[in-house]
Amino acid sequence: MQEEPQWDPYSKDCPTRQLLDRIGDRWTVLVVGALAGGPMRYTALARRIEGVSQKMLTQTLRALERDGLLVRTVHPVIPPHVEYELSTLGRSLLPVLGALERWAIDNISGVLAARDGYDRD
């Protein structure tokens, strides 16, 4: 029986560090949140995530698909109909990212006040 590797995100060469970088990326957080309600087409995602460029949305979707966090489904119609949805692995992120989103909403006033105080000093 092969022993499971000991992962350490504090080690510079550990793949868990790459995964944390992916999950912590602002576009990843927003794409996963947008897909929480179910499958979406590219244009719907682009409308939902204000400010994301076509290039960044495409790169983020490809990276999430590569990491197994989302599934891309192409429906064979003219023009092609492509949908993106979270995989089971991607859905497992929802409680974690949902908690971060709630924390940000609940605490933004305090953060803005702290920034204002810091900037005045």
Side-chain angles (χ1 to χ4, degrees):
M1 184 169 182
Q2 191 175 18
E3 188 175 317
E4 183 71 25
Q6 296 297 309
W7 304 115
D8 180 7
Y10 295 93
S11 174
K12 70 180 175 108
D13 296 324
C14 185
T16 57
R17 184 179 286 191
Q18 295 170 349
L19 184 57
L20 287 173
D21 287 344
R22 165 71 46 228
I23 295 166
D25 176 76
R26 73 172 168 168
W27 300 122
T28 294
V29 170
L30 296 172
V31 167
V32 170
L35 292 173
M40 293 179 79
R41 293 180 70 173
Y42 183 94
T43 53
L45 278 168
R47 276 193 308 271
R48 176 70 180 111
I49 304 169
E50 295 180 11
V52 67
S53 69
Q54 182 178 350
K55 177 184 175 184
M56 287 310 304
L57 181 55
T58 298
Q59 285 179 356
T60 301
L61 291 168
R62 285 182 182 160
L64 291 172
E65 183 180 12
R66 180 176 184 250
D67 288 344
L69 300 174
L70 70 77
V71 176
R72 179 179 181 266
T73 304
V74 179
H75 300 279
V77 294
I78 306 289
H81 177 100
V82 180
E83 286 185 332
Y84 298 90
E85 67 182 308
L86 295 175
S87 65
T88 301
L89 186 59
R91 283 191 302 277
S92 72
L93 275 175
L94 291 175
V96 176
L97 295 182
L100 283 173
E101 184 177 311
R102 282 187 300 281
W103 184 91
I105 291 167
D106 291 347
N107 291 285
I108 189 61
S109 295
V111 170
L112 292 173
R115 287 179 186 172
D116 188 46
Y118 181 90
D119 292 344
R120 270 184 280 156
D121 290 341

